[in-house]
C-alpha cells in the first residue's frame, strides 16, 4: 500500500459509506464530502445477498446486521382486489438454503444499514453541507473546490454521488471537450418509473400480525386500470418498509421532463402520496394508514432510472455505485452492486505500490474489468423485473403467472448457485471460514498481509 495515498470520496450514500468504512479498516487516509446539511437516511428496504454477509463478518458488523434485519421469506404478487397472481416462496426450504449457502438473504431498512456503516467512520471524516463545484487533476494530484470555499487535495477522487453524480458530470465534460467521450455516455438515463418510499415508525403487531413473523414476506399489489404498484415490506422492530411506484413509460418526453424538474420540490413526495392514499392496503385499511405512520421528513420521492455507463474513470477520478451503473430497485441489486464495487476497489487500492498515475490507472482498469460484467447483468435483470411488476395486458399476466408459479425448483437453484458461487473477501482483513455446502470460489488475500489465510 502506498503510504502517502489520500482518497477523496464524494457522496455519503451506501457506496460512499462502505468505501469509507473499508478505507478506515485499511488505514488509508480519506475524506467524505456530502452536499446535504445532515445525513438523513431516506429510503425503504434493501435486500442483501449471502455473499455480502462475509464482508459484514469481516468488518465486525454481522451480529448487529442480524439484529436489525429479517431473512427473506417470500414475494407475493396480487391484483388490486387482493386476488393472488403468484408467489416466489423460500420459507419452506429455509434450512436447506442455509445449509447450502451458509447465510440467508437479509432484508434491512436502508436507514439501519446506513447507521451500521456510520458506526465504523469517525464523524470528522465526513464533511456535510459541502458540494463539489469543480475538480482539477494532473499527473500528481486531484483537487476539489467546494461550496464552503475550501480546497481539498488528494491522490484519488471517488465519485459515489449517485445517478446524477456531479463528479461524473465534471469528468464527462472534460472528456467531451477532448472529443473522447462515447456518445452513449452523453445520453440521458432511462426514466420509466416514479417512486415514493418510506419506513414507518414501530407499528402495533396486533393490528399488523405479519410483523411478528420471523421472515420478511413482500406483499405487492398491482393496480388494475391505474399505473401504480405498491409494496409492503415487514421489517425488524415492528417497522414497515413501503414503496409506491408509478409507471410513466407511456408518458410523453415533455411530461417526463416536467416530472424531472419537479422531482426535488419539497412537496413532491406528499403530492404523490395524496394521489394513492385511498388505495387498499394488503393488511386491511388503506395505504394512507401506512403513510400516516411514517415521519413526513423520512418520506422521499425518487426517479427510478437505469443506465450502464461505459466510462468509469479518467485520470485520478473513478466512479462507484449508481454513478456508473444505475439500476431499477425491483431486482434488489443496487445496494449489493455498490457494496461489491467498493470492496473490489479498496482491495485493489490496498495493494497499490505508489500513488503514481500509472499505478492508479492500472487499479482503475482492473476495477472496471472486474465489475462491468456483473453491472451489465444487474441492470438488465432489474429492468426485466420492473416490466414484470408493472406491465398490463394478457401477455404480461401470462409471463407473471409462469414466472411466479411454474418455474421449477431446480432452475431456481441454478440461478441461486450462480449468484452465490463467487464469494470475494476483504483481502486486507482476516478471512472468515467458508460457510455452506456449495462449492465456491474466492479471491486471494492481499499480497502484503501475510497473516490473512484463505479458506
Amino acid at each position: 500500500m502506498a503510504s502517502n495515498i489520500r482518497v477523496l470520496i464524494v457522496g455519503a450514500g451506501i457506496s460512499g459509506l462502505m468505501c469509507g468504512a473499508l478505507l478506515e479498516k485499511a488505514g488509508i487516509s480519506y475524506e467524505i464530502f456530502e452536499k446535504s446539511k445532515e445525513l438523513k437516511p431516506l429510503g425503504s428496504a434493501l435486500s442483501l445477498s449471502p455473499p455480502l454477509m462475509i464482508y459484514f463478518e469481516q468488518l465486525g458488523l454481522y451480529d448487529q446486521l442480524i439484529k436489525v434485519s429479517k431473512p427473506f421469506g417470500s414475494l407475493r404478487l396480487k391484483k388490486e382486489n387482493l386476488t393472488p397472481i403468484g408467489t416466489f416462496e423460500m420459507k419452506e426450504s429455509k434450512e436447506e438454503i442455509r445449509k447450502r449457502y451458509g447465510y440467508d438473504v437479509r432484508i434491512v431498512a436502508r436507514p439501519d444499514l446506513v447507521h451500521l456503516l456510520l458506526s465504523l467512520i469517525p464523524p470528522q471524516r465526513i464533511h456535510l453541507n459541502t458540494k463539489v463545484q469543480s475538480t482539477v487533476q494532473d499527473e500528481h494530484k486531484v483537487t476539489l473546490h467546494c461550496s464552503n470555499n475550501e480546497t481539498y487535495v488528494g491522490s484519488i477522487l471517488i465519485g459515489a454521488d449517485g445517478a446524477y453524480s456531479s463528479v461524473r458530470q465534471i469528468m464527462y465534460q472534460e472528456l467531451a471537450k477532448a472529443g473522447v467521450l462515447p456518445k452513449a455516455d452523453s445520453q440521458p438515463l432511462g426514466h420509466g418509473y416514479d417512486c415514493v418510499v418510506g419506513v414507518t415508525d414501530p407499528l402495533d403487531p396486533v393490528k399488523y400480525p405479519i410483523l411478528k413473523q420471523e421472515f420478511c414476506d413482500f406483499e405487492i399489489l398491482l393496480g388494475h386500470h391505474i399505473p401504480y404498484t405498491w409494496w409492503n415490506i415487514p421489517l425488524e422492530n415492528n417497522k414497515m418498509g413501503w414503496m409506491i411506484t408509478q409507471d410513466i413509460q407511456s408518458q410523453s418526453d415533455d411530461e417526463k421532463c416536467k416530472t424531472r424538474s419537479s422531482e426535488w420540490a419539497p412537496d413532491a413526495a406528499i403530492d404523490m402520496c395524496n394521489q394513492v392514499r385511498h388505495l387498499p392496503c394488503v393488511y386491511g385499511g388503506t395505504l394512507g394508514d401506512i403513510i400516516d405512520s411514517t415521519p413526513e421528513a423520512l418520506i422521499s420521492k425518487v426517479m427510478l432510472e437505469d443506465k450502464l455507463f461505459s466510462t468509469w474513470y479518467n485520470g485520478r477520478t473513478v466512479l462507484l455505485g449508481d454513478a456508473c451503473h444505475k439500476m431499477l430497485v425491483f431486482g434488489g441489486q443496487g445496494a449489493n452492486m455498490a457494496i461489491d464495487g467498493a470492496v473490489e476497489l479498496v482491495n485493489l487500492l490496498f495493494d497499490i505500490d505508489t500513488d503514481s498515475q500509472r499505478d492508479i490507472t492500472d487499479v482503475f482498469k482492473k476495477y472496471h474489468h472486474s465489475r462491468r460484467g456483473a453491472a451489465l447483468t444487474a441492470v438488465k435483470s432489474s429492468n426485466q423485473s420492473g416490466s414484470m411488476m408493472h406491465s398490463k395486458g394478457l401477455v404480461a399476466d401470462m409471463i407473471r403467472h409462469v414466472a411466479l408459479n411454474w418455474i421449477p425448483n431446480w432452475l431456481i437453484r441454478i440461478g441461486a448457485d450462480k449468484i452465490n458461487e463467487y464469494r470475494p473477501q476483504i483481502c486486507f482483513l482476516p478471512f472468515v471460514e467458508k460457510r455452506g455446502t456449495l462449492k465456491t470460489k474466492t479471491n486471494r488475500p492481499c499480497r502484503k498481509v501475510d497473516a490473512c489465510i484463505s479458506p
Side-chain angles (χ1 to χ4, degrees), residues 24 40 43 61 85 114 124 138 251 278 280 304 332 337 396 421 430:
E24 183 71 25
K40 187 183 295 183
L61 295 176
I85 295 174
V114 167
Q124 64 269 24
D138 56 33
Q251 292 184 3
H278 65 282
L304 300 186
M337 291 296 298
E421 66 184 1

Side-chain angles (χ1 to χ4, degrees), residues 82 128 144 170 196 219 297 321 349 373 404 455:
L82 305 185
L128 297 175
L144 292 186
I170 294 170
V196 62
E219 293 279 4
L349 288 176
L404 294 173

Side-chain angles (χ1 to χ4, degrees), residues 43-45 70 109 197-204 207-211 216-219 231-243 281-283 290-291 293-295:
S44 183
K70 285 190 174 187
V197 297
V199 176
T200 68
D201 284 333
L203 301 175
D204 182 359
K207 183 176 180 180
Y208 300 99
I210 188 73
L211 296 170
C216 174
D217 294 322
F218 285 60
E219 293 279 4
W231 306 51
N232 286 109
I233 310 165
L235 300 170
E236 195 58 59
N237 300 317
N238 292 329
K239 295 183 179 182
M240 183 78 68
W242 55 273
M243 176 170 70
C281 175
V282 69
Y283 310 116
I290 301 296
I291 293 170
S293 299
T294 307

